[in-house]
Amino acid sequence: MALNEKIGTKRLVVGAHYGTFEYLAQRVTAIIMAVYTLVLLVGILTMSGFTYQGWHNLFTFTVVMMPIGQILGSLTMISLAWHAWIGVRDIWMDYVGHVGVRLFLMVMTLLWLVGSVVYFINILWRN
């Protein structure tokens, strides 16, 4: 009765619901990026001219003394990095068999994404 031993509270569950959080994170970050894309599209369509000041105002607009443009831009960049991390990490886990190479690629990907977010936020928030 080896088959019956795996049923009940002593059953070893492997892989069940481990991807739920990543699935939801992918969907939420995609929604954030889609909303920001629509905000940028509306901003571009209502921009008076394609000047430096117009582009600057597109990313640094304020609403009631709150830097909404910078907050939305930062949130979107963080969402983009998180979205990319989940996707690229899954690619490395699925297609790179050697553990050392996979770890190296994951660390390099993570460093690149964190560096990109820091660089973007530095550019967006400096005066």
Side-chain angles (χ1 to χ4, degrees):
M1 297 274 170
L3 185 59
N4 291 336
E5 292 175 10
K6 295 181 181 179
I7 299 175
T9 59
K10 294 184 179 183
R11 185 173 148 223
L12 179 63
V13 178
V14 178
H17 304 292
Y18 289 127
T20 305
F21 180 76
E22 285 79 8
Y23 175 84
L24 290 174
Q26 286 281 76
R27 283 7 178 221
V28 169
T29 56
I31 290 169
I32 291 170
M33 290 183 289
V35 168
Y36 188 67
T37 301
L38 290 176
V39 169
L40 283 181
L41 184 62
V42 168
I44 289 171
L45 292 176
T46 60
M47 195 182 331
S48 61
F50 289 104
T51 63
Y52 172 78
Q53 193 60 38
W55 282 104
H56 180 73
N57 293 339
L58 184 62
F59 293 100
T60 59
F61 66 92
T62 60
V63 176
V64 191
M65 302 298 290
M66 293 272 301
I68 300 298
Q70 292 166 313
I71 292 171
L72 287 176
S74 299
L75 178 64
T76 302
M77 185 61 185
I78 291 167
S79 296
L80 177 65
W82 192 4
H83 191 92
W85 166 247
I86 292 170
V88 174
R89 184 203 61 195
D90 287 349
I91 291 170
W92 296 149
M93 287 176 22
D94 289 345
Y95 297 111
V96 178
H98 191 271
V99 177
V101 174
R102 184 183 323 138
L103 179 63
F104 174 77
L105 290 172
M106 287 177 151
V107 168
M108 290 296 111
T109 302
L110 191 59
L111 288 174
W112 177 71
L113 289 171
V114 169
S116 297
V117 168
V118 169
Y119 184 67
F120 178 84
I121 290 175
N122 181 31
I123 290 171
L124 191 62
W125 286 89
R126 71 177 165 202
N127 293 328

